[in-house]
Amino acid sequence: MSASAILELRDVGKVFGDTVALEPTTLSIEEGSFVAIVGPSGCGKSTLFNVIAGLLEPDGGEVRLHDRPVTGATGHVGYMLQKDLLVPWRTVEDNITMAKRLTGRVSSAHRAEARRVARQYGLGDFLRHYPSALSGGMRQRVAFMRTLVTHQPLLLLDEPFGALDAQTRLEMQQWLLQVWKDTERTVLFITHDVDESIFLSDRVLVMSPRPGRVVADFVNPLARPRTVDTLTEPDFVVLKARIMHLLHGGTP
Amino acid sequence: MSVSDTNLASAPRRANRSSESVARKVARNVGVPVLSIVLLLVVWQAIVVGFHVAPYIAPRPYQAVLAVTQNWSTLWPLVLGTIRETVYGFVAGAALGISLGVIMAKVPVLQRLVYPVLVLSQAVPIIALAAPLVLILGFSVTPKVVIVAWIVFFPVTVNVLDGLSHVDQDLVNLARVYGAPRWRTFVQIEVPATATPLFSGLKIGATYAVTGAIIGELAASDGSSLALYQEHANTNLNTAAVYGTTMLMTVIGISWFLLVVGAEVFATPWQRRTVARRSWRRVADQSEGDSAR
Ligand SMILES: Nc1ncnc2c1ncn2[C@@H]1O[C@H](COP(=O)(O)OP(=O)(O)O)[C@@H](O)[C@H]1O
Ligand SMILES: [Mg+2]
């Protein structure tokens, strides 16, 4: 493997009954990169994540994190879904520290960190609020902070902004890029929104269903920082056209 | 409170109820129910007086109350007895109900095996249950407790089972991704997620608990009990005492129900509040965190 790869998949596949959710897939993710995975629903994106996270045992192959085998094991990635999965009976602060509470003790240092992160990213006034008091965008940010404070170097984000309206989503994308830059994590980001996949990423993996597989792997040429203008640059439009072509049944 | 530190926040939902004054809250939550009870008594009085109903058919409200207060020294121990049967039976039934619900949720085979038996248990007429219980347990407090528990456990089991089987599996999976052991996931995720259905079951149980205790007293008492006192008053055509005793039983039932509602309000603050109550731990932390800034 290359020296800078944080995650490696070797022939990892998953079949449910007679649905090939994920064909044996080999993949290497560079440390510190932002990789988008785009594809229509049912092409095995979530299955891929569940295998990496250890929720699903793959039928074959190996998952390696930092060059150590972690196939079928949990507790080594950050993980976030479209559903924010905040627990309604805990405050914002206690939701952020939830992972620590579930795996050990929440120290006052953990709580101080939760408050610091919340203040830094604009939720300092809501630490003692219950999630029901927050808007969708705020809830999604709390869910992301909860993922951040696990200090996992690899974050799996499964359509995290899929349920937000267009305006909030654009703001959240810029916010996410800021946090990614601040915290130097590796991000795998699932979306079915092509614009989103290009706007955020260093690299775009395109997946296709029946059988679920990666059909293309694009290096994103766009410079950072990304702004609203990025969306109209020629490179953006070219890459978007190529991805759209694949998503609508074209061959690479 | 401001959200000026961010341009992302759309306005959060505010607690409209917390802005309501305390006086209005009390008026709504206590005043209205009290008013409706007073109204009931007024209608009762009006009917009895208006239609010249004979006292041995139906007493006036104040006569019923007098029948209680004048015999309070006799009634008080009987009331205590009924309360004891209700509370013991309720606690036993709740404990049994919760245990069965948890076990059935966690062991699907047991669920299929036990569920029909539970349904069967509720089809047995409670009165028919009393005779064998007296044979086995005698005229002690125990058969009444058993009857109350028999009635209470069922709605608790059904609701706990239902609650536990509807816990969001994505949330359980998230805990797994964190590397949480199963017992912690159970305690921190599954149990609180079941709080609302659990309390629904407990509230249904609480409304039936006193009825169970009275049935037990009727069927399995050898002498002194509230139910037998009422039967005795009935035989003597002391209608005021009959009505008075009924009122007493109702008061015990309502009090117990309200106590369970109070426990729910206390145990599930997130249902009504937008901001958490202050706790010592938070206060200590907050000041330490702020001074570190
Ligand atoms: N637990 C499961 N049991 C059976 N089939 C599943 C399961 N999970 C996913 N699948 C199937 O595998 C395919 C890929 O699913 P998924 O990974 O969720 O797709 P995506 O996230 O890209 O929408 C779909 O056809 C889906 O129906
Ligand atoms: Mg999916």
Side-chain angles (χ1 to χ4, degrees), chain B residues 235-287:
Chain B
T235 321
N236 295 338
L237 289 183
N238 184 355
T239 315
V242 173
Y243 273 69
T245 319
T246 302
M247 286 164 84
L248 264 184
M249 293 167 176
T250 310
V251 168
I252 298 172
I254 289 175
S255 309
W256 188 243
F257 177 79
L258 288 180
L259 220 67
V260 174
V261 170
E264 180 180 21
V265 168
F266 182 78
T268 60
W270 68 89
Q271 306 275 22
R272 276 155 301 277
R273 305 178 65 92
T274 50
V275 182
R277 285 188 289 255
R278 235 167 217 292
S279 77
W280 62 270
R281 195 258 290 159
R282 253 177 262 280
V283 176
D285 264 20
Q286 207 79 48
S287 51

Side-chain angles (χ1 to χ4, degrees), chain A residues 16 19 21 40-47:
Chain A
F16 294 109
T19 308
S41 91
C43 69
K45 305 185 293 293
S46 298
T47 301

